[in-house]
Amino acid sequence: MADELKQGLLSVVLPSFNEEGSIPRAADTITGLLTQAAIPHEIIFVDDGSKDGTWRAVEEQSHLHPQVRGVRFSRNFGKEAAIFAGLAQAAGDCVVVMDCDLQHPPEKVVDMYRLWQQGYQVIEGVKTSRGKENPLHTFAAKGFYSMISKATGIDMSRASDFKLLDRRAVDTLLAMREKNAFFRALSSWIGFSTTQVEFEVQPRLEGESKWSIRSLVRYALTNIASFSAAPLQLVTLLGVVVFVCSVVLGIWSLWQKISGQALEGFTTVILLQLLIGSILMICLGIIGYYIAKIYEEVKDRPRYIVAERCEGPKNDGQAEKDI
Ligand code: UDP
Ligand code: MG
């Protein structure tokens, strides 16, 4: 049996934003583990426009470990862009994407690789729990994931960005030109033979989470808009509701006029104007949001801009494909 197993290079992609403290630990832990498990590998750090010494740390690691490489963005483009840049750089037969703060347990990479060897093409890390969070955050995350789950038809409630993808799946993702790509959902949406590995979210050892409430809200809205047109249907639904109300009220006011008691009801007029006005504006806002997203896609700007690369001394200088 054992000699039927696939063998191949594993690329590990680590998006990093202001992670100078985590880089050396990530590089040491991952290379140590994979070397011990006799898995041929390369490690790609994508510095997402960090303001601290992240790039210096990546360069240092690439000198210490020949299998470590780095890509540096010209500014912060966000985690999704960093993931896609890593996928574009990866030379492996399969690619693992994980956080460089080691909140995704590196031991699981070995389990994922073994499953890949058995023939699975997408191996998803699913969270057994969401780690420590405040209740409001949990509530908002639940709402967000139930919308995304409906839009994709896949249960996303425990999904994470921790995944192993076969070369076929990576190439499929890279061929998609959409700018607002939501990696977590797209990598399930593409299908292929999929399995799951459960993991417990580890506490962060260095630095702090890069997500502010504002960036989370923006992230949620962008991804809902990129995966679902349901908010636009909401516009139609609101229109129907207002129409039904207007028919009822119309009949009622006609009746009042006919029966000669039409002077009353000034408050109703004001309330109706306010209600309809605000519904119209909300609807325009929703439509405007989608138009803005279409505008972004039409402009066809690159997802990210690479400023620099680094690779270890022994590297053969491959991977010049970019943007
Ligand atoms: N990250 C990134 N660009 C960003 C924000 C975050 O590349 O704009 C990286 C970050 O360095 C980390 C991963 O994405 O490796 C997850 O970020 P973080 O740990 O802050 O998120 P959390 O674990 O709290 O969800
Ligand atoms: Mg984290």
Side-chain angles (χ1 to χ4, degrees), residues 14-19 46 48 76-79 82 98-101 103 204 208-211:
L14 299 135
S16 336
F17 177 51
N18 294 343
E19 301 276 12
V46 183
D48 186 9
N76 181 247
F77 280 91
K79 187 180 177 187
M98 63 189 288
D99 286 359
C100 87
D101 54 13
Q103 284 191 284
R204 205 178 220 285
E208 48 193 46
S209 175
K210 306 296 176 296
W211 297 96

Side-chain angles (χ1 to χ4, degrees), residues 84 87-88 167 169-177 303 321:
F84 278 91
L87 294 180
R167 173 54 45 197
V170 172
D171 290 341
T172 309
L173 282 178
L174 289 176
M176 293 186 190
R177 298 307 307 159
R303 271 182 193 146
K321 47 179 176 171

Side-chain angles (χ1 to χ4, degrees), residues 43-227:
I43 296 181
I44 301 162
F45 285 102
V46 183
D47 176 0
D48 186 9
S50 303
K51 297 267 184 287
D52 64 357
T54 300
W55 184 243
R56 221 174 313 117
V58 172
E59 282 182 324
E60 259 165 37
Q61 292 306 314
S62 76
H63 288 114
L64 289 173
H65 306 280
Q67 65 274 52
V68 171
R69 288 195 276 140
V71 178
R72 182 188 199 182
F73 284 177
S74 59
R75 63 166 171 87
N76 181 247
F77 280 91
K79 187 180 177 187
E80 308 293 309
I83 291 176
F84 278 91
L87 294 180
Q89 288 292 315
D93 302 294
C94 56
V95 182
V96 159
V97 175
M98 63 189 288
D99 286 359
C100 87
D101 54 13
L102 296 187
Q103 284 191 284
H104 296 155
E107 317 79 71
K108 296 285 176 187
V109 175
V110 178
D111 301 349
M112 287 176 161
Y113 185 81
R114 301 288 175 233
L115 286 166
W116 173 78
Q117 287 185 305
Q118 291 168 22
Y120 289 105
Q121 289 166 304
V122 176
I123 295 121
E124 305 184 321
V126 295
K127 302 172 190 165
T128 46
S129 71
R130 291 188 53 87
K132 257 191 260 150
E133 258 177 4
N134 76 37
L136 194 70
H137 189 141
T138 311
F139 177 75
K142 261 205 183 131
F144 169 66
Y145 281 115
S146 74
M147 273 195 85
I148 292 285
S149 302
K150 277 211 192 88
T152 52
I154 304 156
D155 177 20
M156 299 279 305
S157 56
R158 299 194 300 154
S160 72
D161 286 335
F162 186 26
K163 309 219 174 183
L164 184 145
L165 303 171
D166 181 67
R167 173 54 45 197
R168 291 284 302 272
V170 172
D171 290 341
T172 309
L173 282 178
L174 289 176
M176 293 186 190
R177 298 307 307 159
E178 52 189 291
K179 300 291 170 305
N180 285 316
F182 181 28
F183 174 73
R184 196 173 292 196
L186 264 189
S187 50
S188 306
W189 179 87
I190 54 172
F192 293 111
S193 92
T194 303
T195 187
Q196 297 185 331
V197 167
E198 291 201 328
F199 73 96
E200 189 100 29
V201 179
Q202 304 298 308
R204 205 178 220 285
L205 295 172
E206 291 283 340
E208 48 193 46
S209 175
K210 306 296 176 296
W211 297 96
S212 61
I213 301 276
R214 211 171 127 218
S215 64
L216 276 176
V217 170
R218 193 171 338 116
Y219 179 78
L221 288 181
T222 309
N223 291 323
I224 288 170
S226 86
F227 250 92

